[in-house]
Amino acid sequence: MDKRPDKKEKEMNPDKITMICRCEDITLEEIKELIQEGYTTAEEIKRISRCGMGPCQGRTCRELLLGEIAKALGEKVGKVASTKYRPPTKPIRLGGAVKGDVNDLE
Amino acid sequence: MPSRVPGGLPKNADAVIIGGGVIGTSIAYHLAKKDFGRIILLEKSYLASGSTGRCGAGVRQQWGTKLNCLLAIDSIKAFQRMDEELDYKRGIEFKQGGYLLLAYTQREMDQFIENVRLQKELGVPVSFLTPSEAKQIVPILNTDEMYCATFCPTDGHANPFYVTDAYAAAGERLGVEIHTFTKACEILTESEKVKGVKTNRGTVFTDVVINAAGPYSAVVSKMVDLDIPFYPERHQALVTEAVEPVLGPMVMSFSRRFYCQQTPHGSFIMGMGDPKEKPGFCISSTWQFLIETAEAVTKALPPVGELSVVRQWAGSYDMTPDAHPILGSTPCEGFYLACGFSGHGFMLAPVTGKLISEIICDEELSIDIHGLDLGRFERGELVIEPSVV
Ligand SMILES: Cc1cc2nc3c(=O)[nH]c(=O)nc-3n(C[C@H](O)[C@H](O)[C@H](O)COP(=O)(O)OP(=O)(O)OC[C@H]3O[C@@H](n4cnc5c(N)ncnc54)[C@H](O)[C@@H]3O)c2cc1C
């Protein structure tokens, strides 16, 4: 199957965007807007924007997102609840989980 | 769905809804539309944090009982016009790619023949297909061992976070007050009448309480000393990386217990029932689920095996003995039930909101659901649904 040719195209001014979530193309501006709208937990922002739902599992953006929420709420980052860590730690091929699947030595 | 924790709870309300999933928010919106007065919704965490945010979000009319068909037909119509009705700018991502149901045994095929007859009678545009006809609709389908299939093109799925968000926001515009991170701890009663709800953030007095607590419905019912035949049961799901669109319909098998769909975002969401699962609140993920699902789904849809699994999670099905919801009043005056959706509460949310608001306002019901009351279990009048995963 072909990989997604290009993710949803957004109108972006390249001089003004700061990418927070590279897997799902979520920008700092979008995160700030959501916080402004009142979504102030990481779990909600993840679900509404898909920030952190891509193949890297939020490895880069989770901390950035928590930092932005903390800033907006005037809290310490450590006080902001993180999103839940979910398996698998790294993406694995679905077919690779099937018993008797060939390995690449054969 | 802003994390609504502004001022304190009011002292009095006309109705308190317990549960901020798709059911609770739909009820809140529909009650507000009827000008019911001051409506408070309590959610112990954030909105859609329960089963709703964990579900497959499929919407189908291909059911085995007349009641489930009628409820689903009505809900599909509501999903079709939801963006407009609720004025939801993001869009609820309703995709009508159909449901393709696969039969792998003679018994299953006989059941499908009966189901299709019933569904057609009720106006569902369903067709009965040979395996090769099914392959025309889903070219990546492996038809080995398949007996037949049924297909309804107007079935589909929507985004559960957005649907909940849309109902919550539309409800709030009509005056509904949503209190997240507010847990109902106790229900106050006086001679079997509801008087109020005690929460971790104060008490609100009211004559009407609606139990839309999803997997916690039995716990909430116990607050008025009511035992309901309900139990939560873990169901797991997983999602793959996103690829270009290759799968139109939701593909599902009851005997092999799996379902698999491609979302508008491009990722594949799939899940599987486990007959060995015991009732309980546990919702952790297991590696056994990953293996079993990989085996079942890659057998039916081999190319999906190439995709990477990005995330696994679990949630609770809200089970009743006959796989139909429990809707309506109870022996405790003012205490209403909207629970027990048995793994298909997402798709029934629009019609449930409408019907519960009609019941509470003592109006004529737009669909006769008297058979779905709590009393049916005592009367022994169960309405068994044969077609569930
Ligand atoms: C893996 C999986 C796949 C599914 N697939 C589908 C599908 O394809 N199609 C479909 O239609 N359905 C599906 N379902 C079923 C569907 O998710 C549920 O039937 C539906 O979401 C029920 O909605 P609800 O609002 O009643 O429950 P929930 O979304 O669980 O909402 C109940 C809310 O009440 C809150 N609450 C509980 N106790 C209290 C309290 N004391 N005080 C305050 N708040 C409280 C909880 O925090 C929760 O947010 C699936 C479920 C799972 C787990």
Side-chain angles (χ1 to χ4, degrees), chain B residues 174-186:
Chain B
L174 295 173
V176 172
E177 295 163 54
I178 296 181
H179 292 260
T180 53
F181 299 99
T182 308
K183 182 175 179 180
C185 303
E186 232 180 275

Side-chain angles (χ1 to χ4, degrees), chain A residues 1-4 24 34 37-40 43-44 47-48 50 53-54 57 86-87 91-95 99, chain B residues 1-3 46 90 161-162 165 241-244 246 265 294-295 303 305-312:
Chain A
M1 271 181 240
D2 289 335
K3 299 290 163 192
R4 214 162 23 147
E24 298 292 337
L34 286 171
E37 275 181 54
Y39 302 89
T40 50
E43 292 284 10
E44 285 173 293
R47 283 163 173 74
I48 287 287
R50 302 197 53 84
M53 282 192 171
Q57 284 267 42
R86 300 205 182 273
I92 62 161
R93 211 169 56 83
L94 186 67
K99 256 183 259 158
Chain B
M1 101 185 105
S3 315
Y46 53 91
R90 273 187 193 92
F161 310 124
Y162 290 171
D165 196 33
E241 63 187 316
V243 288
E244 65 161 20
V246 286
H265 162 259
E295 287 183 347
E306 297 301 314
L307 301 179
S308 287
V309 178
V310 173
R311 192 167 52 254
Q312 241 185 284

